[in-house]
Amino acid sequence: MATWTPDPTFYASARLAMRAPPETLAYVAILNVAGAKPDALGVVDLNPAASSYGKLVNCIEMPGAGDELHHFGWNACSSALCPYAPHPHVERRYLLVPGLRSSRIHVLDTRPDPRAPQIVKVIEPQEVCDRSGYSRPHTLHCGPEGIYVSALGTPQGGAPGGLFLLDHDSFHVLGRWEVERGPQQLAYDFAWHLGYDIQITSEWGTPSMIENGLVPELLLGSKYGHQLHVWDLRRRRHLQAIDLGAEQQLVLELRQARDPTKPFGFVGVVVSLKDLSSSIWLWHRADGDWKAQKVIEIPAEPAEPDQLPPLLKGFNAVPPLLTDINLSLDDRFLYASCWGTGELRQYDVSDPFNPRFTGSVHIGGIVRRTPHPAAGAVNGGPQMVEVSRDGRRVYFTNSLYRAWDSQFYPEGIDGWMVKCDAPAAGGLKLDPDFFVPFAAGYRPHQVRLEGGDSSSDTYCYP
């Protein structure tokens, strides 16, 4: 009797995923800075036994130029094992790679040769617009019933932003996700509590607010995102807005507890208008409602005006600029990328209400310019961070977004990807031998690991 077998890289729980074999490849979104040549998806060898370990072994160019590849993800993951999933036998095979500026979505097949994915489909921006009303796809996650994609706004560059769905198999745009939007207008990231039928979304800004760089007048006027939104995941209706305060600007990356019985998660705030600090907030369920509270604050560092880019000269300080966070699969260690000060921080969040700082590494930074042992002086700073399934390795890159790179690092960013080792007891150590440089004019952004990583999958079982 013939049977279907679920993909072996799907895991019922995060605990089981942590026991999986270590990653051997990383896929990296690579931006062509000038925009005159195509962006690419890079492949980096992560197998320590290979002669090409720590090297970029392939670059798959996109069909056109000007995409601004940013965040991307798999067509299917462990959420397909949820008891109500209509697609339990899809496979983790395709990478869906949106262009944040072009609104094209590229589908790459990794099965024939994982080291050389092939472009098999391109979803044009007109289809995204016609079927969903949205534009500028940003974050992509594989869900039980389809592929969820966040979008920053409309084709005209305004609000609202939101979510739309793609089919798991055909990759057709199914349509806008929201049935009742409520007050939500700005969009950015999204995260699920599948055990509670709840979705959380965060806020950045509309395309017109971000595509030409950070607008000081909008920032000082508290016009960028400062709210979280709580949604009924199954009914697709807005339930609650949680305002972190107008001075908390750019409420970006969301990382929910990996254990689906834990109704909490973390969100990073890029900058406070009060003192240029960054912060991490805990959202949690209490007395039948959802609340948020600040649990980590990262202060700005004093700096001389001549050390700072024009955007910051009047502040006499360099802000941390917390641009990414990530959470290990055992819900123990939280990582914070301080792109401005050039620091990757680690916190023990075993008690999520009382995080404990456990270590950090410095590399790059607007003022520090901390060198890497294998490369010497570098610029940029820790940005997109990804954690291995077992939690022992942490990879990160140094480019945020082309227009914003130019404002904070006006001399230009030379792209790199590095690795830290993270012992089980806590702490971080920069691997002195792992340094992946990128060609002049190209910058790396998000990293995905073959077979899944700490932020690619959502689990339905504890």
Side-chain angles (χ1 to χ4, degrees):
M1 178 179 177
T3 60
W4 283 348
T5 303
D7 189 309
T9 71
F10 294 171
Y11 305 97
S13 68
R15 291 184 300 107
L16 294 175
M18 292 186 71
R19 301 174 194 168
E23 65 281 359
T24 60
L25 293 174
Y27 299 103
V28 186
I30 304 173
L31 165 72
N32 175 258
V33 179
K37 296 181 179 179
D39 295 349
L41 185 73
V43 184
V44 176
D45 194 330
L46 302 182
N47 182 0
S51 59
S52 55
Y53 172 66
K55 292 183 172 59
L56 186 68
V57 296
N58 205 347
C59 270
I60 298 88
E61 286 194 345
M62 299 300 105
D67 285 312
E68 187 118 12
L69 301 187
H70 201 65
H71 291 193
F72 66 105
W74 294 101
N75 67 304
C77 63
S78 300
S79 64
L81 299 181
C82 287
Y84 50 80
H87 300 288
H89 301 292
V90 292
E91 58 180 326
R92 190 196 308 268
R93 174 174 175 174
Y94 300 96
L95 284 167
L96 285 92
V97 187
L100 182 55
R101 192 170 289 268
S102 70
S103 296
R104 287 189 288 263
I105 302 175
H106 310 86
V107 182
L108 286 85
D109 188 354
T110 68
R111 180 196 265 182
D113 182 356
R115 295 167 71 96
Q118 301 174 3
I119 298 173
V120 295
K121 182 180 177 70
V122 177
I123 304 167
E124 297 295 340
Q126 195 61 48
E127 180 181 350
V128 175
C129 173
D130 289 347
R131 289 175 171 260
S132 71
Y134 289 136
S135 183
R136 281 70 161 199
H138 186 273
T139 297
L140 185 148
H141 288 305
C142 33
E145 65 277 70
I147 303 162
Y148 285 62
V149 188
S150 70
L152 296 185
T154 67
Q156 295 75 35
L163 290 166
F164 63 93
L165 261 70
L166 303 175
D167 182 79
H168 271 134
D169 298 306
S170 69
F171 309 116
H172 288 147
V173 178
L174 299 178
R176 189 183 78 190
W177 177 80
E178 299 87 0
V179 171
E180 291 180 9
R181 182 183 305 280
Q184 179 267 328
Q185 291 291 301
L186 300 181
Y188 182 75
D189 200 6
F190 61 100
W192 303 310
H193 287 294
L194 294 179
Y196 292 83
D197 287 336
I198 287 294
Q199 177 165 261
I200 309 291
T201 63
S202 62
E203 300 184 336
W204 185 8
T206 64
S208 64
M209 295 168 67
I210 63 110
E211 286 185 337
N212 294 316
L214 181 68
V215 182
E217 295 79 12
L218 295 178
L219 179 68
L220 296 175
S222 300
K223 301 300 183 184
Y224 287 99
H226 50 85
Q227 295 187 103
L228 295 176
H229 297 276
V230 183
W231 305 78
D232 184 315
L233 183 59
R234 295 294 143 227
R235 298 176 67 241
R236 298 155 56 195
R237 288 163 168 80
H238 189 277
L239 296 176
Q240 183 183 349
I242 304 174
D243 198 329
L244 306 188
E247 75 278 8
Q248 307 295 342
Q249 287 286 282
L250 303 163
V251 178
L252 297 186
E253 304 294 341
L254 301 168
R255 298 291 181 257
Q256 78 277 23
R258 309 315 185 191
D259 182 338
T261 68
K262 299 175 180 176
F264 70 81
F266 300 94
V267 61
V269 176
V270 175
V271 65
S272 165
L273 297 181
K274 182 176 71 173
D275 55 11
L276 295 187
S277 64
S278 295
S279 57
I280 299 176
W281 296 60
L282 176 78
W283 80 76
H284 59 99
R285 190 166 177 254
D287 303 322
D289 205 359
W290 293 85
K291 304 179 189 241
Q293 66 186 72
K294 187 194 298 185
V295 292
I296 295 170
E297 186 168 278
I298 306 170
E301 297 181 359
E304 296 298 324
D306 60 0
Q307 297 177 297
L308 297 170
L311 188 67
L312 297 174
K313 282 189 184 300
F315 295 101
N316 296 329
V318 58
L321 298 177
L322 178 69
T323 52
D324 195 21
I325 62 173
N326 217 329
L327 183 63
S328 60
L329 287 184
D330 57 3
D331 290 327
R332 182 177 175 191
F333 292 113
L334 182 70
Y335 295 89
S337 291
C338 300
W339 187 61
T341 49
E343 182 182 21
L344 180 72
R345 290 182 161 223
Q346 182 197 65
Y347 295 88
D348 186 328
V349 291
S350 302
D351 176 357
F353 291 89
N354 296 284
R356 182 170 59 89
F357 178 72
T358 47
S360 75
V361 297
H362 284 93
I363 178 172
I366 292 173
V367 172
R368 287 178 184 267
R369 303 300 171 101
T370 307
H372 187 279
V378 297
N379 61 7
Q383 213 285 291
M384 292 305 296
V385 56
E386 195 49 78
V387 184
S388 64
R389 291 181 293 272
D390 63 4
R392 301 286 75 84
R393 292 162 302 284
V394 182
Y395 304 92
F396 57 93
T397 58
N398 69 329
S399 172
L400 172 61
Y401 183 61
R402 180 173 59 189
W404 296 41
D405 286 353
S406 299
Q407 291 178 294
F408 292 99
Y409 291 91
E411 76 282 5
I413 287 178
D414 297 320
W416 45 257
M417 172 182 169
V418 298
K419 166 180 166 282
C420 286
D421 295 311
L428 276 176
K429 182 181 178 182
L430 196 65
D431 184 333
D433 301 317
F434 189 102
F435 184 88
V436 184
F438 290 79
Y442 290 87
R443 296 175 189 163
H445 190 64
Q446 190 174 36
V447 176
R448 285 281 177 222
L449 304 181
E450 183 189 16
D453 45 60
S454 71
S455 65
S456 62
D457 290 36
T458 312
Y459 305 92
C460 280
Y461 302 94

